[in-house]
């Protein structure tokens, strides 16, 4: 053992000596001064062999001179993928989404039934001009540059109430992306009343200072007069503005006079983008927005000049959510310490009751007693250890859940209206869960389900299919079918390809006219209901979520639900198959998104539980409907068998008993009545629980959770 240790020591001495010789030789090559060195440096080198004897490249002082503050807009300009601007296609959708969300929030807060115009115009091959206008309350002049030209500026971040926007980043980030990719400024015009001047700005963000730069009007913007004079000024300066609503038809079929748009805001951004249809497109986003917001009318003109109008199905605005104070369970220790220092209250009891929701004087006294702090103590004199004790006491004290009047769910009747208005089907149901809490933040889950109808692939026209194929960036026909049309899974795509007789790995852009016609015919003829995958529509505070689907708690909850128990086919760990669509909405004062781009919801245990219960509720209703429908179908088939042989039975009995023709007819009628009674379930109509309802009630179906549409298309 000693011998081995001595050998190891010699080896180390040899390596150290050899290393030292190597360093000395290298230093000699670098010049006489470096080779000789000072005794002090030599000693230091012996003590720290990992340090280089050559001159340092920098020291603490020189490094300190290079350090500087980074502007938030400068950070996001370099990391724009965090905000949803990581590719041209997604950038177009994010720009429209942020502007539409702001418009809806402004209209609802002002009590105005929203009307929104969305216009996309191509300027070059890869650039588009996007304009979004609303009929909201407008924006005061001094706030316009800050709202559109400064990141992290807004009114929604610090208040706890349900709203679409949260961070104060979206629309200003869209404008920044437009300036970065095209160099064109953002154009905003806003009007606060029919007789008020409109304010017009052209601006861009100074990313180093996170500050708006106004380009027009010598840095002050331009005011535009109201009335005819203002209209001429708009035309002269080339400023777009929808001055009138579309004319509506009256009861007599005559068009009503056009009404003036009295107030509102219009933002125009030119950006580098890519316009495509199908999944993850602006078209799909607006369609899903119309489902979750049945009180809005959207006028949409796409990049090809086609106009689509999503008309509102109700004029009732959602109830206005109320702002609440933070709940004690949702405040972390660091935040509590900051709040203790930034307040004007004289006692800790007053601080607790006035700063938090659901904290009464009795609850505050219990917290102070548990923390062993005087209820008369001054909040600003609370130290770190006392604050920690106060925090632990809050967690161990029973406090009522926060109020839920800060939330504004869509509601089951409006979910049914929205789904029926946009998604084809024969059965619709909805369920709104009771409010729940995660991390002290109230939230509510709503689930809607539509069953039946045809796949979107079977509704597409030949011209539209040709356009989709030309615009697609998919590598194969199979990938094109799965990515473009909702509900078309792998099995459905394979059926269509086999029916059309085209190659599985053939490129969509290389199909000739005959092959496209065959593909279109196959899409219309193939039965996709068996291989059709469930379409999942995700919403957060009435806003559709279209990307990062697999990372979202909603998708995970749908895939984790056992849909086989409710009559659907499902492989393990996958989405169920069948002609079914599910929409899931989460309403909360603070939606826990997984990133700044607001594409997916984080899976807190409380959220996952509510999602599971909501999905199971609509699943049970679907199961009752399918069971009742299958029973009707079986009885109908049984009746058809009876009817097939009744005439022969009546004839045989008449021949045996020597009955005349009149009695034979009477016998047949009696047998027919018996067959109808025995198979009476074939005629029944279903209510919300799959039970029989009388014929008179079928037309006045009043269950607010279920809507059944018979096969002839009339709603019951």
């Amino acid at each position: 053992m000693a011998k081995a240790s001595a050998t190891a020591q010699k080896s180390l001495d040899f390596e150290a000596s050899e290393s030292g010789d190597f360093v000395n030789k290298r230093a000699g090559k670098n010049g006489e001064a470096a080779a000789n060195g000072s005794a002090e440096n030599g000693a230091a080198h012996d003590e720290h062999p990992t340090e280089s004897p050559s001159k340092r490249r920098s020291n603490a002082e020189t490094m300190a001179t290079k350090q500087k503050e980074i502007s938030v807009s400068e950070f996001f300009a370099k990391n724009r993928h965090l905000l949803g601007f990581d590719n041209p296609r997604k950038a177009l959708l994010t720009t429209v989404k942020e502007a539409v969300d702001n418009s809806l929030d402004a209209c609802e807060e002002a009590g105005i039934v929203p009307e929104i115009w969305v216009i996309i115009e191509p300027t070059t091959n890869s650039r588009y001009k996007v304009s979004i206008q609303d009929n909201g309350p407008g924006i005061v002049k001094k706030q316009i540059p800050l709202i559109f030209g400064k990141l992290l500026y807004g009114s929604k971040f610090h208040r706890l109430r349900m709203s679409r926007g949260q961070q104060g980043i979206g629309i200003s980030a869209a404008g920044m992306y437009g300036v970065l990719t095209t160099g064109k400024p953002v154009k905003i015009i806003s009007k606060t009343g029919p007789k008020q001047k409109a304010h017009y700005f052209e601006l861009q963000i100074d990313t180093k200072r996170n500050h708006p730069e106004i380009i027009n009007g010598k840095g002050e913007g331009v005011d535009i007069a109201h009335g005819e004079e203002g209209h001429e000024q708009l035309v002269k300066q080339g400023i777009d503005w929808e001055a009138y609503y579309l004319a509506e038809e009256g009861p007599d079929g005559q068009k009503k006079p056009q009404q003036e748009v009295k107030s509102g805001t219009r933002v125009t951004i030119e950006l580098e983008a890519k316009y495509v249809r199908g999944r993850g497109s602006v078209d799909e986003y607006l369609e899903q927005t119309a489902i979750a917001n049945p009180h809005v009318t959207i006028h949409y003109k796409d990049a090809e000049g086609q106009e689509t109008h999503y008309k509102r199905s109700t004029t009732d605005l959602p109830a206005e959510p109320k702002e609440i104070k933070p709940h004690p369970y949702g405040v972390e220790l660091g935040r509590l310490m900051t709040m203790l220092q930034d307040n004007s209250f004289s006692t800790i009891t007053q601080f607790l009751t006035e700063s938090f929701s659901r904290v009464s004087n009795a609850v505050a006294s219990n917290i102070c007693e548990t923390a062993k702090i005087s209820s008369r103590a001054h909040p600003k004199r609370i130290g770190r250890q006392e604050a920690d004790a106060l925090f632990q006491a809050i967690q161990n004290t029973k406090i009522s859940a926060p109020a839920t009047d800060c939330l504004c769910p869509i509601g089951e009747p409006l979910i049914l209206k929205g789904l029926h208005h946009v998604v084809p089907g024969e059965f619709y149901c909805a369920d709104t869960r009771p409010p729940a809490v995660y991390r002290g933040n109230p939230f509510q889950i709503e689930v809607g389900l539509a069953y039946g109808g045809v796949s979107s692939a079977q509704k597409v026209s030949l011209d539209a299919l040709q356009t989709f194929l030309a615009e697609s960036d998919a590598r194969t026909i199979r990938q094109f079918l799965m990515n473009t049309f909702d509900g078309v899974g792998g099995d459905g795509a394979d059926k269509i390809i086999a029916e059309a007789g085209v190659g599985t790995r053939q490129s969509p852009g290389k199909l000739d006219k005959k092959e496209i016609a065959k593909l279109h015919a196959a899409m219309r003829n193939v039965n996709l209901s068996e291989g059709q995958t469930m379409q999942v529509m995700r919403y957060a505070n009435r806003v559709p979520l279209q990307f990062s689907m697999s990372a979202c708690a909603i998708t995970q909850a749908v895939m984790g639900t056992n849909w086989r128990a409710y009559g659907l086919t499902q492989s393990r760990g996958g989405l169920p198959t069948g002609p079914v669509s599910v929409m899931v909405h989460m309403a909360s004062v603070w939606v826990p998104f997984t990133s700044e781009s607001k594409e997916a919801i984080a899976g807190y245990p409380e959220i996952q539980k509510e999602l599971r219960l909501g999905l199971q509720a609509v699943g049970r209703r679907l199961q009752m409907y399918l069971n009742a429908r299958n029973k009707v179908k079986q009885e109908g088939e049984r009746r058809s068998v009876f009817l097939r042989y009744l005439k022969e039975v009546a004839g045989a009995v008449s021949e045996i008993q020597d009955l005349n023709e009149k009695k034979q007819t009477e016998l047949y009628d009696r047998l027919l009545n018996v067959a109808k009674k025995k198979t009476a379930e074939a005629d029944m109509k279903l209510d919300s629980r799959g039970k029989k309802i009388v014929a008179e009630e079928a037309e006045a179906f009043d269950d607010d959770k279920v809507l059944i549409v018979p096969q002839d298309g009339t709603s019951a």
Side-chain angles (χ1 to χ4, degrees):
M1 181 76 180
K3 186 176 180 182
S5 179
T7 304
Q9 183 62 43
K10 285 181 181 179
S11 175
L12 289 169
D13 291 343
F14 172 76
E15 289 174 1
S17 173
E18 187 177 21
S19 176
D21 291 342
F22 172 76
V23 170
N24 288 336
K25 288 177 183 177
R26 184 176 179 186
K29 291 179 182 178
N30 289 336
E32 188 176 347
N36 293 334
S38 63
E40 185 178 348
N41 287 342
H45 171 65
D46 292 339
E47 292 177 7
H48 305 284
T50 57
E51 291 186 7
S52 173
S54 60
K55 186 178 179 180
R56 291 184 181 179
R57 287 174 290 183
S58 59
N59 54 30
E61 286 75 16
T62 57
M63 284 191 284
T65 61
K66 299 175 183 177
Q67 293 168 348
K68 58 182 179 179
E69 183 181 359
I70 301 170
S71 163
V72 63
S73 53
E74 193 173 12
F75 170 80
F76 281 120
K78 286 189 175 182
N79 297 278
R80 59 195 186 198
H81 58 280
L82 297 175
L83 301 176
F85 297 94
D86 43 340
N87 62 68
R89 176 183 179 180
K90 199 171 171 185
L92 181 64
L93 172 62
T94 303
T95 300
V96 173
K97 174 175 151 320
E98 295 295 345
V100 170
D101 290 352
N102 287 354
S103 294
L104 288 171
D105 273 342
C107 290
E108 289 174 8
E109 194 168 342
I112 299 171
V113 179
E115 192 126 355
I116 297 174
W117 292 262
V118 179
I119 300 99
I120 301 175
E121 302 173 81
T123 55
T124 64
N125 289 336
S126 60
R127 292 183 181 181
Y128 293 84
K129 186 171 75 171
V130 179
S131 299
I132 296 91
Q133 180 180 327
D134 61 56
N135 64 334
I139 308 171
V140 296
K141 185 175 182 178
K142 68 177 183 179
Q143 290 294 101
I144 294 174
L146 296 171
I147 290 172
F148 293 93
K150 185 170 185 162
L151 267 64
L152 292 178
Y153 185 88
S155 60
K156 303 167 188 173
F157 184 83
H158 293 288
R159 67 184 185 186
L160 285 177
R161 56 171 277 183
M162 176 181 161
S163 64
R164 294 172 180 81
Q166 289 186 176
Q167 302 160 344
I169 295 178
I171 191 61
S172 50
M176 181 178 69
Y177 174 81
V179 173
L180 287 172
T181 54
T182 67
K184 300 286 185 69
V186 183
K187 299 178 180 180
I188 307 104
I189 179 170
S190 189
K191 185 179 178 184
T192 58
K195 295 185 178 180
Q196 301 294 325
K197 290 183 178 180
H199 311 299
Y200 175 66
F201 286 87
E202 294 182 6
L203 54 85
Q204 59 188 27
I205 299 180
D206 180 352
T207 55
K208 289 187 177 181
R209 297 188 300 146
N210 188 31
H211 191 76
E213 288 185 348
I214 303 170
I215 296 172
N216 66 328
K218 298 180 180 180
E220 297 292 333
V222 175
D223 289 339
I224 298 171
H226 68 274
E228 195 62 35
E229 180 186 349
H231 179 69
E232 292 176 1
Q233 194 174 351
L234 290 172
V235 173
K236 186 177 180 181
Q237 296 191 26
I239 303 170
D240 295 324
W241 176 260
E242 297 290 340
Y244 296 95
Y245 296 102
L246 286 180
E248 296 181 358
E249 287 189 2
D252 56 354
Q254 299 293 324
K255 286 195 174 182
K256 297 179 180 178
Q258 285 187 307
Q259 295 184 358
E260 183 186 2
V261 178
K262 298 178 180 179
S263 62
T265 301
R266 184 185 183 106
V267 57
T268 300
I269 301 172
E270 188 168 337
L271 69 159
E272 187 177 295
K274 183 178 181 182
Y275 174 77
V276 293
R277 299 179 188 271
R279 287 184 183 174
S281 65
V282 175
D283 305 55
E284 184 187 53
Y285 162 76
L286 294 176
E287 183 178 288
Q288 292 187 7
T289 298
I291 293 174
N293 300 273
H295 58 287
V296 65
T297 291
I298 302 175
H299 308 287
Y300 173 47
K301 185 177 181 181
D302 64 26
E304 297 169 358
Q306 297 181 10
E307 294 188 11
T308 306
H309 302 281
Y310 299 97
K311 294 185 178 180
R312 64 177 62 91
S313 55
T314 179
T315 55
D316 296 331
L317 285 170
E320 185 179 3
K322 296 180 180 178
E323 185 175 354
I324 63 168
K325 296 172 183 176
H327 193 273
Y329 288 165
V331 177
E332 295 170 329
L333 177 57
R335 174 64 180 153
L336 178 62
M337 293 173 66
T338 303
M339 292 176 69
L340 284 166
Q341 297 304 314
D342 297 340
N343 72 86
S344 58
F345 304 114
S346 57
T347 65
I348 192 69
T349 300
Q350 190 180 8
F351 164 76
L352 290 170
T353 55
E354 296 295 330
S355 299
F356 299 105
S357 64
R358 299 301 196 186
V359 178
S360 62
N361 287 325
V363 172
S365 298
N366 289 340
I367 292 171
C368 292
E369 186 178 344
T370 306
K372 297 180 180 179
I373 297 173
S374 171
S375 59
R376 306 291 301 171
H378 198 286
K380 292 188 177 180
R381 294 174 186 167
I382 299 293
R384 192 197 67 80
Q385 290 184 347
E386 291 172 311
D388 195 0
L390 187 67
F391 175 76
Q392 297 300 333
I394 288 173
Q395 304 305 314
N396 295 325
T397 302
K398 188 175 181 180
I399 305 173
S400 302
T404 56
D405 53 4
C406 55
L407 302 177
C408 181
I410 302 170
E412 291 154 353
L414 290 181
I415 288 176
L416 293 174
K417 274 188 178 181
L419 281 172
H420 185 235
H421 198 59
V422 179
V423 181
E426 61 190 65
F427 172 80
Y428 301 84
C429 65
D431 185 75
T432 297
R433 294 286 306 155
V437 179
Y438 84 95
R439 283 183 54 197
N441 296 313
F443 73 97
Q444 201 164 1
I445 297 296
E446 299 182 283
V447 183
L449 182 144
Y451 180 84
V454 297
S455 167
S456 58
Q458 294 175 303
K459 295 187 294 181
V460 67
S461 65
L462 180 60
D463 291 340
L465 178 61
Q466 291 174 336
T467 304
F468 291 162
L469 288 166
E471 294 176 348
S472 175
D473 54 1
R475 295 183 179 180
T476 64
I477 290 292
R478 190 174 190 271
Q479 186 182 6
F480 162 77
L481 291 170
M482 294 173 64
N483 292 349
T484 305
F485 303 105
D486 288 319
V488 177
D491 294 341
D494 292 337
K495 286 182 181 180
I496 293 172
I497 291 169
E499 177 76 14
V502 296
T504 308
R505 303 196 60 81
Q506 195 166 349
S507 174
K510 295 182 179 179
L511 294 179
D512 57 32
K513 289 185 177 181
K514 289 184 178 179
E515 289 174 324
I516 293 174
K518 288 181 180 178
L519 182 66
H520 182 254
M523 289 167 62
R524 297 181 68 85
N525 297 331
V526 169
N527 179 18
L528 294 173
S529 60
E530 294 178 359
Q532 186 175 339
T533 307
M534 172 186 280
Q535 180 188 0
V536 180
M537 295 173 282
R538 302 170 294 134
Y539 294 86
N541 286 354
R542 298 176 180 255
V543 178
L545 308 178
Q546 295 187 282
F547 294 99
S548 301
M549 187 173 178
S550 60
C552 186
I554 291 176
T555 308
Q556 294 163 7
V558 172
M559 295 173 69
T561 301
N562 181 18
W563 292 97
R564 292 186 295 275
Y566 307 125
L568 298 178
T569 305
Q570 182 185 22
S571 58
R572 173 172 283 185
L575 291 171
T577 57
V580 59
S581 299
V582 166
M583 72 159 287
V584 182
H585 175 232
M586 177 180 178
S588 179
V589 297
W590 189 262
V591 179
F593 292 113
T594 57
S595 68
E596 294 86 348
S597 55
K598 300 184 290 187
E599 295 170 350
I601 296 171
Y604 284 91
E606 299 89 345
I607 296 174
Q608 290 177 330
K609 176 186 175 182
E610 290 300 313
L611 288 169
R612 184 177 70 253
L613 293 174
L615 291 165
Q616 288 172 348
V618 296
R620 287 191 293 271
R621 294 192 185 101
L622 174 64
Q623 179 192 25
M624 288 186 286
Y625 171 74
L626 292 178
N627 288 344
R629 194 186 70 162
N630 289 337
K631 198 168 186 180
V632 170
K633 183 180 179 182
Q634 290 171 1
E635 291 299 317
E637 291 173 352
R638 187 177 170 209
R639 176 181 289 179
S640 67
V641 173
F642 286 154
L643 294 177
R644 191 182 306 164
Y645 298 105
L646 279 183
K647 212 149 201 174
E648 293 183 16
V649 170
V653 171
S654 300
E655 189 175 339
I656 293 171
Q657 295 188 356
D658 195 21
L659 300 176
N660 57 33
E661 187 175 345
K662 182 180 178 182
K663 288 188 176 182
Q664 181 179 345
T665 303
E666 290 176 355
L667 175 63
Y668 174 76
D669 291 340
R670 287 164 58 193
L671 289 172
L672 186 62
N673 288 333
V674 171
K676 285 183 177 180
K677 286 180 181 179
K678 292 291 184 183
T679 59
E681 289 180 347
D683 297 322
M684 76 175 177
K685 294 184 179 181
L686 309 174
D687 68 0
S688 60
R689 299 181 182 276
K691 295 180 180 179
K692 183 171 66 173
I693 56 177
V694 296
E696 291 79 12
E697 294 174 344
E699 295 302 322
F701 198 82
D702 58 355
D703 194 307
D704 61 351
K705 294 189 177 186
V706 176
L707 178 67
I708 298 176
V709 181
Q711 296 299 313
D712 60 1
T714 59
S715 63

